[in-house]
Structures are given as C-alpha cells and as structure tokens.
Amino acid sequence: MNPNQSPAAKAPIGVFDSGVGGLSVLRELRRAMPGEDYLYLGDQINVPYGPRGLEEVRDLSEAIVRFLMAQQVKLIVIACNTASAAALKPLREAYPDFPFVGLEPALKPAVEHTETRVVGVLATPTTFEGPLYESVVERFAGDVTILKSTCPGLASEIEAGRWNGAEAERILREALEPMLPQGLDTVVLGCTHYPFAFETILKITGPGVRLIDPAPAIALRVQNVLTERGLLNPREADGAVRYLTSGEAAEMALRAEQLLGERGEATALRWQAGELRLAD
Ligand code: DGL
C-alpha cells in the first residue's frame, strides 16, 4: 500500500442530485476513475429542485449529506448545480475537513472559447438566484454578454425518459431561439440534466455552437482532491455503483441503464421527519 494512502481510500464516493441529472457527472467520474466504488443518490421524490428556492434545496441537500456520511463515503460530489448553489457553502462551513466537490455553471471555459463574445447559460431558477452564480459572473464574465434561460420543465422531461422528445425540444427552442440572433457561439449546460438533451440542443443551435458540459472537468477535480488526500482507491479492477432513490427503485435502475448503458442495483429510501432512511 502506498504510504500516503489513507485507510479510507477503499470507501465509496457519494454522488447526489435531485434525480438522474447527476448521472451525467457519474459517467465522467467512472471514465476517469473506474476503480472507485460509487454511491449515487437521486432525490427523485422531490425532483425538480429548480423551482424550490435556495432554502428548501439547502435543507434537502444537508439531509442527503447526513445520509451519505452515515454510509461512510470518503468524498461527496454535489452533482447538481441547484444543490451546489444552495448548499455548497454552508456544507463546507459545517464540515470543514470533509471534501465536497460542487458544480457551478462553467462560465470560465465558455468565456475562454467564445469568439463572438456572446455566451448562453441554461440553468434552473434557483441556480441563477444564488450568490454562487453571481460570483461566477463576477469572476469570469468580463466583457462577454451572458444570456440566461431556465428551461422550465426540461429536468422533468428528462426524468421521465423523454430527453430528446417533442416537449424537450419545445422547451429548448423557447430557451435558445431568442439567443441565437444575438450571435451566441457557446452554451453552458448549467444543470446536470441537460447534457442528456445534447442532441436536441445541437439540432436547435446547429453544429457551430459549442456546448459546455462541466462533467469531465469535475471528474478531474475529484481525482485531484482524492490524490492530494491519499484517498484514491488503489484497485485495478472496476468498482461498483449502487443507486439510491427516494423515488421508485425500479425506475432509477431503468434510467441508469438507459442513460449509462449498464444495469445497476437500486435501493429505495424514504423521507421521514426531514431525514432520509432506507425504505422497509
Ligand atoms: N440537475 C440539477 C441541476 O444541476 C437540478 C434539476 C432540477 O431538479 O431542477 O441543477
């Protein structure tokens, strides 16, 4: 064993989202670190988080984190922009020694790449509401024009398995068509559900527009944090993924299979007095 390695290296990585959106992050985590075990939690009974507001999403996220910590995860990826906007800061304050990796709309690479100096951001209302989004704009936007849209209903369409359906296309047309004449050449996917509608987005924007999915960069960040802390799992063989959902276990297993191309085992959880518990 590597002398810098912590005994916790063999523990799973916790990943959570309001539903299946975080699977777009899990996909990249597994590509980068196939030897890790993952515990993926989707709060599907409460999806979508987008319209709920910062306070409610913070409470839900904090309870999910308590549940994942009780499962002895070694790091938590908040694979949801909305939950990160609401809870990343308070969670870091509450658990200063525990590693959290959150998501924020990827304006930095967008601003670096745009030639027309017009960038679109698709994210939920709660993500745009938070100080995290404000700070991203302040840090990275510079003189670039940022156009925003909340895509109401899109996360729910994706939850229902209709990621490239007619309703998803209608929502995305409404979001993107007013942006296109303003010369936009880059779109930030600021919600982890949206990469699953990649094809529909490209169909609307045309191939000349670059779509930015932050998931590969997040996977790299997780890998770096684990390496720095001696927490990378040394295993050579592939690790396992276990899915947890506050919704229907069979549905989560099906979506994971459809979206990631492999069947996984899913377990149902229940909310009880503000805490998540294993369902009986
Ligand atoms: N996937 C989430 C995000 O990244 C939330 C979507 C939702 O539940 O509204 O923002």
Side-chain angles (χ1 to χ4, degrees), residues 233-250:
N233 194 318
R235 186 203 276 135
E236 306 254 321
D238 282 357
V241 184
R242 213 177 122 212
Y243 297 96
L244 300 164
T245 176
S246 57
E248 293 302 321

Side-chain angles (χ1 to χ4, degrees), residues 7 35 38 66 78 108 126 131 136 150 159 212 229 237 258 262:
Y38 296 90
R66 287 194 289 276
I78 308 179
K108 186 170 186 262
T126 301
V136 167
T150 57
E159 284 296 316
I212 302 206
R229 294 185 178 230
Q258 290 171 324
E262 61 182 16

Side-chain angles (χ1 to χ4, degrees), residues 139-156:
R139 278 179 285 149
F140 305 120
D143 64 346
V144 168
T145 302
I146 311 289
L147 309 172
K148 303 190 297 185
S149 180
T150 57
C151 301
L154 184 56
S156 302

Side-chain angles (χ1 to χ4, degrees), residues 17-18 21 47-51 80-82 124 127 155 190-193:
D17 178 49
S18 57
V47 71
Y49 275 8
C80 175
N81 288 264
T82 312
T124 71
T127 297
C191 167
T192 53
H193 280 74

Side-chain angles (χ1 to χ4, degrees), residues 86-126:
L88 184 57
K89 191 160 177 272
L91 282 168
R92 285 193 170 138
E93 281 163 9
Y95 307 99
D97 299 324
F98 188 86
F100 292 98
V101 174
L103 269 91
E104 58 184 28
L107 268 190
K108 186 170 186 262
V111 166
E112 279 164 11
H113 286 120
T114 177
E115 284 172 13
T116 60
R117 316 303 287 160
V118 184
V119 164
V121 182
L122 306 182
T124 71
T126 301

